[in-house]
Amino acid sequence: MSHNTFGHLFRVTTWGESHGPAIGCVVDGCPPGLPLSAADIQFWLNRRAPGTSRFVTQRREPDEVKILSGVFEDDRTEGPVTTGTPISLMIENVDQRGKDYDEIRDLYRPGHADYVYDAKYGLRDYRGGGRSSARETAARVAAGAVARRVLEEVQIRAAVVQIGKIAIDRARWDWAETENNPFWCPDAETAKQWETLLDETRKDGNSVGAIVEVEATGVPAGWGAPVYGKLDAEIAGALMSINAVKGVEIGAGFAAASLTGVENADEMRAGNDGKPVFLANAAGGVLGGISTGQPIIARIAVKPTSSILTPRQTITRDGQNADISTKGRHDPCVGIRAAPVAEAMLACVLADAKLRHRGQTGRG
C-alpha cells in the first residue's frame, strides 16, 4: 500500500493496523536540538485515548508511546533532544478483540471502507477495519506532538462545535470549557444536551456525526506558497485525510459563497508597529495560499461511525444480499476524538510550512 507519507521537509509516515501488534510513525526532517521526551508525546496521546468516557469507544488502550530512534541524551544535553535523524515512535495495541469481527469477515459494512479495500487490494483486514480504522490516528497525534516542538511560537487548539443537529451557541464560546467536559465543547450548556443525545444514540444502536473547529494562533505572515503549494490547500488535504472526515472548510468556507464582496473582504488598518491590523477574518488566516498572520481557522465535518448495532442491508464478499449488525466497541460519535487529531494534522502541516519558508527565505 502506498501513500502512507505526507509532508515535504517535515515528513510523517504512519504504519500499523487496528488489531496488529502495534501502530506507530516515523517523523523525518525534524531539526536537531529540540527537547523531546516520551512524556512530551504522551501528554497529547492521552487527550485522544479511547475509553476515557462513556461517549467514546470502550476499547482500553493505554497508548503508551516508545521512542525508538532520533533522540539522544547525555550530561551535556539537559535532557533528551532530537538528533535531526528519523524519529521512530511505537504504540503497542494491548486490547485487541479480533473475534468481535468474525461475523463480518465476509460482509461489507455500509459506509465503511470494507468494500473498496477489497476491490482495490483483493483482501482486507476486517478486524476493526485494519488500516482504515481510526486507531491509526494515534500515530498522527504522536507525530503532531513532535511538530509542536518545531512550533513553539504557535498555539493550536480544537473544539467540537456540533454533534448531530445540535450546534453550540458561539456567544457562549469559552476555550477553558473544552477541558471541563468529555466533548471538547466550548459551550457548557450545549455539552449537557450532547450527553443526552449520545446516551440515546448509543441505546438505539446508532451513531451521529460532528463538526470540529481547529485554530492556530501565532503563525506569522508568509508561510505557505502560491498556486500549487497553497497553505490552505495543504491544510485541507491533511484534515481531509483523517478517518471519517467528509468535508473541510477554511475561514468562512462555504458560507463565503453567500457573502457579498463587502462582507467577505477582511479590511485592514495600520497598527502601531506598522503591520496591518485585520478587522475581520473571513479568509481564515490564509490569502493566496500564504498565511496572513491572523489565526488560521478550519472546520471538518466528521460522518457518523459506520460500525453500528442497527441492522443494515449489505452484500457478502461473493455478492449475496445480506443484513449486517456490527458488534464490538465503537464510538457513538467518532468526531469527539477527532479534535486532538485535527490539532495534530494542523501542527504537522504548519511545521512543514515553517521549515520550507525558512529554507526558501532564510527567515523563520
Side-chain angles (χ1 to χ4, degrees):
M1 186 188 296
S2 58
H3 301 289
N4 295 296
T5 301
F6 70 96
H8 299 271
L9 294 185
F10 188 91
R11 292 176 60 80
V12 176
T13 301
T14 69
W15 52 267
E17 294 82 35
S18 174
H19 284 61
I23 56 175
C25 65
V26 177
V27 178
D28 201 3
C30 182
L34 301 180
L36 183 68
S37 67
D40 296 329
I41 301 170
Q42 196 65 52
F43 172 82
W44 300 106
L45 281 169
N46 291 346
R47 294 163 64 86
R48 192 218 69 100
T52 54
S53 78
R54 70 180 187 274
F55 305 110
V56 298
T57 174
Q58 295 306 294
R59 180 171 174 173
R60 299 291 179 176
E61 293 285 357
D63 283 354
E64 183 176 339
V65 67
K66 296 179 181 178
I67 301 178
L68 304 182
S69 67
V71 172
F72 174 75
E73 178 181 12
D74 70 5
D75 59 346
R76 297 166 296 181
T77 62
E78 298 182 359
V81 297
T82 58
T83 62
T85 59
I87 300 170
S88 184
L89 307 173
M90 183 178 73
I91 303 164
E92 293 182 353
N93 292 327
V94 301
D95 190 23
Q96 314 99 313
R97 293 184 189 175
K99 290 184 177 180
D100 285 350
Y101 300 91
D102 286 349
E103 295 181 9
I104 66 165
R105 59 177 294 176
D106 295 317
L107 294 169
Y108 299 132
R109 286 168 289 181
H112 206 284
D114 293 342
Y115 167 68
V116 293
Y117 266 62
D118 220 350
K120 183 174 180 67
Y121 301 108
L123 75 166
R124 81 181 206 276
D125 184 348
Y126 53 86
R127 302 166 305 164
R131 183 72 175 148
S132 66
S133 169
R135 180 80 185 125
E136 181 267 348
T137 62
R140 301 175 187 233
V141 173
V146 180
R148 289 176 193 263
R149 283 305 195 193
V150 181
L151 298 168
E152 292 293 346
E153 72 275 41
V154 176
Q155 180 183 32
I156 300 172
R157 51 191 179 178
V160 179
V161 298
Q162 182 172 329
I163 292 181
K165 298 179 180 179
I166 305 175
I168 66 165
D169 182 345
R170 288 181 174 268
R172 296 196 295 256
W173 188 298
D174 180 2
W175 276 112
E177 186 59 35
T178 62
E179 302 290 338
N180 297 331
N181 62 74
F183 308 113
W184 309 112
C185 180
D187 174 4
E189 294 302 314
T190 299
K192 296 175 184 177
Q193 297 178 57
W194 290 351
E195 287 192 20
T196 301
L197 171 65
L198 290 178
D199 281 337
E200 293 174 350
T201 298
R202 184 186 287 279
K203 183 178 179 180
D204 292 341
N206 208 346
S207 62
V208 291
I211 296 176
V212 177
E213 183 165 314
V214 59
E215 172 192 273
T217 56
V219 177
W223 292 4
V227 191
Y228 301 117
K230 290 184 175 182
L231 181 60
D232 46 354
E234 296 191 344
I235 291 171
L239 294 176
M240 194 74 191
S241 75
I242 299 172
N243 312 60
V245 170
K246 299 301 290 183
V248 178
E249 62 179 11
I250 311 291
F254 283 96
S258 63
L259 300 177
T260 66
V262 169
E263 293 169 325
N264 188 65
D266 295 333
E267 295 182 281
M268 295 178 284
R269 306 304 289 174
N272 293 333
D273 58 0
K275 296 181 180 180
V277 174
F278 289 87
L279 306 184
N281 192 17
V286 184
L287 288 168
I290 300 171
S291 60
T292 66
Q294 288 214 87
I296 292 176
I297 299 173
R299 282 172 294 279
I300 58 175
V302 185
K303 70 178 183 179
T305 313
S306 300
S307 297
I308 56 176
L309 282 171
T310 302
R312 298 283 84 194
Q313 294 180 339
T314 188
I315 62 171
T316 64
R317 197 165 186 266
D318 59 3
Q320 301 299 310
N321 290 330
D323 291 334
I324 184 171
S325 174
T326 309
K327 300 176 183 178
R329 301 160 294 174
H330 308 291
D331 298 79
C333 177
V334 72
I336 297 170
R337 293 194 299 131
V341 184
E343 291 180 357
M345 294 305 285
L346 183 56
C348 289
V349 171
L350 291 178
D352 190 43
K354 176 181 178 177
L355 296 177
R356 290 159 65 190
H357 178 68
R358 187 172 68 185
Q360 182 179 24
T361 68
R363 302 189 301 273

